[in-house]
Amino acid sequence: MNGADLLCETLLANDIDVCFANPGTSEMHFVAALDRQPTMRCVLGLFEGVVTGAADGYARMADKPAATLLHLGPGLANGLANLHNARRARTPMVNIVGDHATYHLKYDAPLTSDIESLARPMSHWVGRAGSSHDIGQATETAILEARAAPGQIATLILPADVAWSDTNATIAPKAELRQAAKPDERRIATAVEALRKGVSTTILVTGLALRERQLEKLDRIARASGARLMAQQSNGRMQRGAGRVAVDRAPYDVDKAVASFAETAQVILIGAKAPVGFFAYPGKPSSMLPDDCTVIEMTEEGDDLPLAIDMLADAIGATPKAEFSTRHNPDLAQGKLTPDAIAIALAHYMPANAIICDESVSSGRDFFGKTHGAEPHDFLQLTGGSIGIGLPLALGASIACPDRKVISLQADGSGMYTLQALWTQARERTDTLTIIFANRRYAILHGELKNVGAGEPGVNARQMLDLDNPALDWVSLAKGMGVEAARADTAEGFADLLKSACSRRGPFLIEAVI
Amino acid sequence: MNGADLLCETLLANDIDVCFANPGTSEMHFVAALDRQPTMRCVLGLFEGVVTGAADGYARMADKPAATLLHLGPGLANGLANLHNARRARTPMVNIVGDHATYHLKYDAPLTSDIESLARPMSHWVGRAGSSHDIGQATETAILEARAAPGQIATLILPADVAWSDTNATIAPKAELRQAAKPDERRIATAVEALRKGVSTTILVTGLALRERQLEKLDRIARASGARLMAQQSNGRMQRGAGRVAVDRAPYDVDKAVASFAETAQVILIGAKAPVGFFAYPGKPSSMLPDDCTVIEMTEEGDDLPLAIDMLADAIGATPKAEFSTRHNPDLAQGKLTPDAIAIALAHYMPANAIICDESVSSGRDFFGKTHGAEPHDFLQLTGGSIGIGLPLALGASIACPDRKVISLQADGSGMYTLQALWTQARERTDTLTIIFANRRYAILHGELKNVGAGEPGVNARQMLDLDNPALDWVSLAKGMGVEAARADTAEGFADLLKSACSRRGPFLIEAVI
């Protein structure tokens, strides 16, 4: 057995049996080790942003990490943007990054770079395997770090000679996971006291608080105390739709967010962070809360959120029943295809238990409000603002949940970042439906340019913000990667395509020209 | 005038008038400033790897830097792999990376990350603008660092409030460039002494030593002294073809490289680094030189290489005439399309003054040997081993040299990394011809897997190394981005397509199924 085998066996012993990969020469012994392990499912991405984004989608739905395999500093670099999103989603992930053999580093061969410096900003934990004998221990540490609540990015650097050297080390049994921490009773008591004050209160939540059962309890707590329940602006995963509690999200727009919290005297945070502007703007505040708003952090990093919610419910005596959304089947729109018409059609047709991956940016803002009464579904968001996660996220979610329909709400500009994911969707025959919101511009930036008072965009601004010259032809792009596709430019045409796409299996793409 | 205007004016005052860009909200004031400057040419890439790769291609051909505009840490991260290549090519480049407003950083908004940590491994210089008043000075410093010989990557971080704040600072006149250093006469003397020893000597060169005039002098020096003249394995730019000196490159393959240097008693380095293995392999050496080989560094970092060559020629008395390649028009191949047939067709048809961007990886190794007698051309290589530079490099080279035909020799696996470059080629109507070597696999890795002794690839190895399920359809991919394309699978069909593509202008793609 060599170091690569030991690494691979340790992953499998700890229930990590999916590896999203794009290997290179320095990882070839690890590839050979994976080849000796048919129980490890290897999924190739034709670009590393696909690899890390898919590992994120997988873990959000599987509630356990996947491994990634990346080639040296540049391979890691290509995956960093989606690692950034995964870090913000608190997704557990174990990255294996190959490096040159230890004795080769001093020669500064062309692919040499400072991998640690690249990894650190997007990782909670970075380590380097020292020898083939301790690679099992290093892998176990990486896995435990990844699985520490609420989820961490662990990056393990694997020198080629560590992978290829023999070892007599034995495979350790499955490591015992660090349990999420029991919440501090004093913090719960402070929250209870606050909720009994009778002042305007928002309970702001994310993470495991957004699962069906926890939302039900939170709704009852809110009703018992007269508080407003709200989710963070952006969340890794939220369970919603008919039969579940409808919960709003903090607004993205600074003015709307400030208005939303203007009357809030206190905010109770459960897993969430106090709301801040996604960007700073001249003359606008960074914090979305009034200056005199009290912020109560009911939980600490690493706390067991479902237990915290149980403790709070017990202390409050949350006796009212929760109110659930009822299934609402809206009438389909007619005429011109608009984001609104797309949202209505989705509310109408999307099947029960669908997984929605939302990277629709400006075009998809209608979806959330229109689908409280859609069939129950999971809703996965872009959490770190780094565009290019939608298609990989859908790929990974589908690998985790092959029997569920995965629907990508994908803006065209951000979709172009990692369009290579379509090829892996075709290869793995995932049940993924992609809806491209083809407005042929970075629409969000047009709005932002207006906001900075630059007036009408001139030649250079249009050159940087418009995608219409030439127009992207997503049907051809999909075909080029083996995914069937069709185009719609009317509400009726879109609804027909959506209905048919939802009644078949396998990857499909609709270019919705809006 | 605000900080963004001052930055933009400083770039223009220093002869930087092309900006490859993919901006976001935090860069919107800079976009507005660029919009007020019609003399700045803004070129949009639909992914940051396109942006940095194009800036590399531009500077290699223009012999001056372009600017890039990148959005925060993740935008920079997406561009890092091609920055890595540019760093290895010693390409001058000025990156402007937007960041949150200084006062907003402490709120850790979703897109916040440690930009310095990400930038440092792929930059020679990293700076951060402190205020709108000193942004002119900071920009000037970045430009001077970028233009320091032999070329550097300078990354300037631009907080949003520095961009949007007013300033009364004036635009400085064009800064005086730091001249390349005069070579050390003792080092030249040492090289002269070595060349007179009469032992087996290789002169290994790169950078400006690979331009037409310098190669002619080097050839005369080599003939006068009996030394072998050789280029580094991988070089940013090399001038070659009929009427120029034919020079070989150090082999990529370790065994071949070791054999090539086996009889070498001394190596004289001019700009180049002593040859090392691209990767380490069990039981093979890291250095390609014999243990007792003497290494003479004739120049130091930052030296004026053309001047060093002149000094060496004068000292040696390089009186023999140089030998130039003669135009050789090979007979076209027939039957099955092979990499060899493609190389022959190129030697036959490629027009004078073409710029060849080579990222053909394993498939293109025939090209170099077959084209010593082709029409004179510039040859641009993948210098850092980080795949995905070919199409962006061609884009940038064409922006620098709009009247020259640019031909990409592009492997399919690496082409998929930054295929978005095709869209910008269509938009900018560049005269770029892309030849995709469609072998539908990571062929180089199949070879490497064999090298590690893993035997025949099994399910997992094939899953990670083959691209044939489904086969990529490059004609559709190109069409999807507005680039005309056609497929060839015979030598005759390819030659016909190539002939016609070379006689027309504008972007075109040939999928060569080999």
Side-chain angles (χ1 to χ4, degrees):
Chain A
M1 183 166 73
N2 65 21
D5 290 311
L6 180 55
L7 196 169
C8 194
E9 297 271 13
T10 307
L11 290 173
L12 285 168
N14 286 281
D15 209 20
I16 297 184
D17 52 8
V18 173
C19 180
F20 296 95
N22 189 293
T25 298
S26 42
E27 291 74 53
M28 216 35 61
H29 286 84
F30 190 55
V31 168
L34 290 167
D35 211 18
R36 292 188 279 273
Q37 292 288 1
T39 51
M40 180 68 83
R41 179 171 182 185
C42 294
V43 179
L44 175 64
L46 296 188
F47 178 72
E48 289 86 353
V50 176
V51 170
T52 53
D56 187 0
Y58 174 89
R60 291 197 204 183
M61 292 311 302
D63 282 326
K64 66 171 188 173
T68 70
L69 176 57
L70 304 167
H71 180 47
L72 297 157
L76 170 63
N78 284 332
L80 284 175
N82 276 340
L83 281 187
H84 174 85
N85 289 323
R87 181 174 72 100
R88 291 294 181 182
R90 302 311 303 256
T91 299
M93 198 183 302
V94 177
N95 302 305
I96 311 296
V97 182
D99 197 3
H100 286 305
T102 47
Y103 61 83
H104 198 61
L105 280 174
K106 69 176 175 195
Y107 293 94
D108 192 34
L111 267 165
T112 311
S113 66
D114 182 349
I115 299 179
E116 276 87 347
S117 184
L118 295 169
R120 236 173 259 124
M122 275 63 165
S123 307
H124 298 92
W125 179 89
V126 180
R128 179 178 279 267
S131 82
S132 59
H133 311 301
D134 70 14
I135 179 75
Q137 185 55 52
T139 306
E140 193 179 294
T141 304
I143 295 167
L144 291 177
E145 290 290 337
R147 301 202 69 163
Q152 300 204 113
I153 308 297
T155 301
L156 177 62
I157 301 166
L158 174 66
D161 53 340
V162 171
W164 79 50
S165 295
D166 285 335
T167 178
N168 294 320
T170 52
I171 301 141
K174 185 173 179 171
E176 199 171 322
L177 293 181
R178 232 178 290 158
Q179 293 298 311
K182 184 169 181 303
D184 182 340
E185 291 188 8
R186 285 164 305 181
R187 285 178 179 266
I188 305 285
T190 304
V192 170
E193 196 181 317
L195 284 168
R196 289 189 176 141
K197 263 193 194 158
V199 300
S200 168
T201 305
T202 297
I203 304 173
L204 197 67
V205 305
T206 194
L208 289 178
L210 293 175
R211 301 294 171 90
E212 184 171 14
R213 257 200 71 252
Q214 281 64 46
L215 281 173
E216 183 190 340
K217 287 219 171 169
L218 286 165
D219 189 62
R220 290 167 55 202
I221 292 166
R223 283 174 200 286
S225 58
R228 174 176 67 163
L229 175 62
M230 191 179 251
Q232 259 187 194
Q233 201 277 314
S234 189
N235 306 280
R237 179 179 174 190
M238 177 190 274
Q239 296 192 311
R240 60 193 302 272
R244 292 173 174 168
V245 166
V247 58
D248 264 342
R249 287 147 49 207
Y252 173 87
D253 179 86
V254 169
D255 295 332
K256 286 181 189 159
V258 167
S260 167
F261 288 102
E263 305 302 323
T264 301
Q266 50 185 15
V267 168
I268 298 174
L269 302 174
I270 304 182
K273 294 171 67 177
V276 300
F278 208 89
F279 292 104
Y281 299 87
K284 295 187 182 182
S286 284
S287 166
M288 302 298 98
L289 301 179
D291 286 346
D292 57 355
C293 180
T294 306
V295 176
I296 297 156
E297 294 187 45
M298 195 185 90
T299 55
E300 293 176 281
E301 167 92 4
D303 273 5
D304 184 332
L305 297 192
L307 178 56
I309 293 166
D310 286 349
M311 289 164 71
L312 182 64
D314 289 346
I316 287 284
T319 45
K321 282 203 165 158
E323 188 172 305
F324 299 119
S325 300
T326 50
R327 176 78 181 98
H328 172 62
N329 207 354
D331 291 340
L332 295 169
Q334 295 189 313
K336 191 171 152 32
L337 186 57
T338 61
D340 194 58
I342 293 172
I344 291 169
L346 282 161
H348 196 98
Y349 285 123
M350 59 190 235
N353 269 320
I355 300 166
I356 309 297
C357 296
D358 181 22
E359 194 180 40
S360 50
V361 194
S362 60
S363 300
R365 294 198 182 142
D366 298 313
F367 175 84
F368 198 79
K370 287 278 191 301
T371 50
H372 287 301
E375 294 289 350
H377 59 279
D378 282 85
F379 183 67
L380 278 51
Q381 287 183 266
L382 168 63
T383 47
S386 174
I387 58 175
I389 198 168
L391 303 176
L393 201 66
L395 164 65
S398 185
I399 299 285
C401 303
D403 298 329
R404 297 173 65 175
K405 175 68 83 181
V406 181
I407 303 178
S408 285
L409 310 180
Q410 185 60 57
D412 51 358
S414 43
M416 280 302 287
Y417 268 58
T418 47
L419 74 163
Q420 303 94 337
L422 292 172
W423 180 82
T424 310
Q425 293 184 6
R427 162 180 271 205
E428 300 291 336
R429 296 180 177 77
T430 51
D431 193 12
T432 40
L433 166 63
T434 302
I435 297 167
I436 299 288
F437 289 75
N439 60 10
R440 296 169 181 173
R441 55 198 349 219
Y442 290 127
I444 193 168
L445 298 185
H446 268 282
E448 299 285 7
L449 187 71
K450 201 170 282 178
N451 288 345
V452 309
E456 284 303 302
V459 172
N460 267 340
R462 284 200 307 274
Q463 189 75 2
M464 287 186 283
L465 307 187
D466 288 344
L467 312 180
D468 58 346
N469 173 25
L472 291 161
D473 166 1
W474 278 92
V475 174
S476 291
L477 292 173
K479 178 169 178 283
M481 287 181 279
V483 170
E484 281 187 71
R487 186 173 293 121
D489 54 12
T490 64
E492 293 87 344
F494 176 81
D496 286 348
L497 277 175
L498 180 65
K499 182 181 178 189
S500 122
C502 285
S503 66
R504 50 164 273 171
R505 278 187 61 84
F508 193 77
L509 180 145
I510 302 174
E511 180 178 349
V513 181
I514 53 175
Chain B
M1 185 166 71
N2 64 22
D5 290 311
L6 180 56
L7 195 169
C8 194
E9 297 272 12
T10 307
L11 291 172
L12 285 168
N14 286 282
D15 210 19
I16 298 186
D17 53 7
V18 174
C19 179
F20 296 95
N22 190 291
T25 298
S26 43
E27 291 74 53
M28 214 36 61
H29 286 84
F30 190 54
V31 168
L34 291 166
D35 211 18
R36 292 188 279 272
Q37 292 288 359
T39 51
M40 180 68 83
R41 180 171 183 186
C42 294
V43 180
L44 175 65
L46 296 188
F47 178 72
E48 289 85 354
V50 175
V51 170
T52 52
D56 187 359
Y58 173 89
R60 291 196 204 183
M61 292 311 302
D63 281 327
K64 66 172 188 173
T68 70
L69 175 58
L70 304 167
H71 181 47
L72 298 157
L76 169 64
N78 284 332
L80 283 174
N82 276 340
L83 281 187
H84 173 86
N85 289 322
R87 181 175 72 100
R88 292 294 181 184
R90 301 311 302 256
T91 298
M93 197 184 302
V94 177
N95 302 305
I96 311 295
V97 182
D99 197 4
H100 285 304
T102 46
Y103 61 83
H104 197 61
L105 280 173
K106 68 176 176 195
Y107 293 94
D108 192 34
L111 267 166
T112 311
S113 67
D114 182 349
I115 300 179
E116 276 87 348
S117 184
L118 296 169
R120 236 173 259 123
M122 275 61 167
S123 307
H124 297 91
W125 180 88
V126 180
R128 179 178 278 267
S131 80
S132 59
H133 312 300
D134 70 15
I135 179 74
Q137 187 54 52
T139 306
E140 194 179 294
T141 304
I143 295 167
L144 291 177
E145 289 291 336
R147 302 202 69 162
Q152 299 205 112
I153 307 298
T155 301
L156 176 62
I157 300 166
L158 174 65
D161 53 340
V162 171
W164 78 51
S165 296
D166 284 336
T167 178
N168 294 320
T170 53
I171 301 140
K174 185 174 182 173
E176 199 171 322
L177 294 181
R178 231 177 292 157
Q179 293 298 312
K182 185 171 182 303
D184 181 341
E185 290 188 7
R186 285 162 304 181
R187 285 179 179 266
I188 305 285
T190 304
V192 171
E193 197 181 315
L195 284 169
R196 289 190 175 138
K197 264 193 191 153
V199 301
S200 166
T201 304
T202 297
I203 304 173
L204 196 67
V205 304
T206 193
L208 288 177
L210 293 173
R211 301 294 170 90
E212 183 170 16
R213 258 200 71 252
Q214 281 65 45
L215 281 173
E216 181 189 344
K217 287 220 170 166
L218 286 165
D219 189 62
R220 291 166 56 202
I221 292 165
R223 285 176 197 285
S225 59
R228 172 175 68 163
L229 176 62
M230 190 178 253
Q232 259 187 193
Q233 200 277 314
S234 190
N235 307 281
R237 180 178 173 190
M238 176 190 272
Q239 296 192 311
R240 59 193 304 272
R244 293 174 174 167
V245 166
V247 58
D248 264 342
R249 288 148 47 207
Y252 173 87
D253 179 87
V254 169
D255 294 332
K256 287 180 187 157
V258 167
S260 165
F261 289 102
E263 306 302 324
T264 301
Q266 51 185 13
V267 168
I268 297 175
L269 302 174
I270 304 182
K273 294 171 67 175
V276 300
F278 208 89
F279 292 104
Y281 300 87
K284 297 188 180 181
S286 284
S287 167
M288 302 297 97
L289 302 178
D291 286 346
D292 57 356
C293 180
T294 306
V295 176
I296 297 155
E297 295 186 46
M298 194 186 91
T299 56
E300 294 176 281
E301 167 92 3
D303 273 5
D304 184 331
L305 297 192
L307 178 56
I309 293 165
D310 286 349
M311 289 164 72
L312 182 65
D314 290 346
I316 286 285
T319 46
K321 283 206 166 157
E323 187 171 307
F324 300 118
S325 300
T326 50
R327 177 76 180 101
H328 171 63
N329 206 355
D331 291 340
L332 294 169
Q334 295 190 313
K336 192 171 150 32
L337 185 57
T338 61
D340 194 58
I342 293 172
I344 291 169
L346 282 161
H348 197 97
Y349 286 123
M350 60 190 235
N353 270 318
I355 300 165
I356 309 297
C357 296
D358 181 22
E359 194 180 41
S360 52
V361 193
S362 59
S363 299
R365 295 199 182 140
D366 297 314
F367 175 84
F368 198 79
K370 287 279 191 300
T371 49
H372 288 300
E375 293 291 349
H377 59 278
D378 281 84
F379 183 67
L380 278 50
Q381 287 184 266
L382 168 63
T383 46
S386 175
I387 58 174
I389 198 168
L391 303 176
L393 200 66
L395 165 65
S398 185
I399 299 284
C401 304
D403 297 329
R404 297 174 66 175
K405 176 68 84 181
V406 181
I407 302 177
S408 284
L409 311 179
Q410 185 59 60
D412 51 357
S414 42
M416 279 302 287
Y417 267 57
T418 47
L419 73 162
Q420 303 93 337
L422 291 172
W423 180 83
T424 310
Q425 292 183 5
R427 162 180 270 205
E428 302 290 337
R429 296 181 176 78
T430 52
D431 193 13
T432 40
L433 166 63
T434 302
I435 297 167
I436 299 289
F437 290 75
N439 60 10
R440 297 171 179 171
R441 53 197 352 217
Y442 290 127
I444 192 168
L445 297 185
H446 268 282
E448 300 285 6
L449 187 71
K450 201 170 282 178
N451 288 346
V452 307
E456 283 304 302
V459 172
N460 267 341
R462 284 200 309 273
Q463 189 74 3
M464 287 187 282
L465 307 187
D466 288 345
L467 311 180
D468 58 347
N469 175 25
L472 290 161
D473 166 3
W474 278 92
V475 175
S476 291
L477 291 173
K479 178 169 176 286
M481 286 181 280
V483 170
E484 283 188 69
R487 186 173 292 120
D489 54 11
T490 64
E492 294 87 344
F494 177 81
D496 287 347
L497 276 176
L498 180 65
K499 182 181 178 191
S500 122
C502 285
S503 66
R504 50 164 273 171
R505 278 187 60 85
F508 192 76
L509 179 144
I510 303 174
E511 180 178 348
V513 180
I514 53 174

